[in-house]
Structures are given as structure tokens and as C-alpha cells.
Amino acid sequence: MISALRDTTLSTAIFDVIRVILPYTAEGKAMPSSLAHTVVTQLAATQKLATLMEQELAIHRFDEAGMSVRTMVEREIAAALDQGVTSTVVKFDPDKGRKS
């Protein structure tokens, strides 16, 4: 038996959240806290899906621009390291304080 595939498109995920929230937008309606927790969980999953899709799209854009994934990753690492550099240098000495 073939199981049905779960639709994991961003638009469907957003629509699912809208469908849950919509009945509680009428005046005087209040969403139960347990349902609100479920909605927040759905939104978190939707945000993760959006992030993954953005990353995939970025890779395709770099590819179209003629950059390899390796070049892109190296550029991102260099940028992250540049942002993390400060004027303080910390040296780690694992043997400091040990008796020989």
C-alpha cells in the first residue's frame, strides 16, 4: 500500500495555520491555550521550512552566478570569521598549571 505524501510546501503550511486561526478571529472568540500552543508549533515548523527553502534558493542563485557551493561556503565562513574578530586575543594553553 502506498501512503499519501505529505504536502510540505510553504504555502500549504501557511494555509494550514490560517485555517486553524480563522475561526477565532470573530469578535468575542478566544483561542484555547492548547490550540495556541499547537499554532505556535506549526508556525515554528513553517519558519524552519522557509529557512530551508531560502538556503536552497541561495545555493541555486550562486550556481546560476557561476559560483560553486564550495566557493559560496568559503565566502560565508570568511564573512563570519571577519565579523567575529575583535581586538582581544585569547590563547588557550591546555598544559598550563600542570606539573611535569
Side-chain angles (χ1 to χ4, degrees), residues 36-47:
H37 180 348
T38 302
V39 169
V40 169
T41 303
Q42 286 177 314
L43 285 172
T46 302
Q47 186 272 333

Side-chain angles (χ1 to χ4, degrees), residues 94-100:
D95 296 324
K96 186 175 182 180
R98 289 188 182 177
K99 295 181 182 179
S100 299

Side-chain angles (χ1 to χ4, degrees), residues 3 8 13 20 24 30 36 43 48 54 63 76 85 89 92 94-95:
S3 62
T8 56
V20 171
Y24 299 98
L43 285 172
K48 185 174 183 176
E54 289 167 354
D63 186 46
E76 292 298 317
V85 173
V89 176
F92 176 70
D95 296 324

Side-chain angles (χ1 to χ4, degrees), residues 16-52:
D16 290 344
V17 172
I18 291 170
R19 191 171 36 101
V20 171
I21 293 175
L22 196 58
Y24 299 98
T25 60
E27 192 171 332
K29 289 283 193 171
M31 181 182 291
S33 61
S34 62
L35 185 57
H37 180 348
T38 302
V39 169
V40 169
T41 303
Q42 286 177 314
L43 285 172
T46 302
Q47 186 272 333
K48 185 174 183 176
L49 177 61
T51 300
L52 292 172

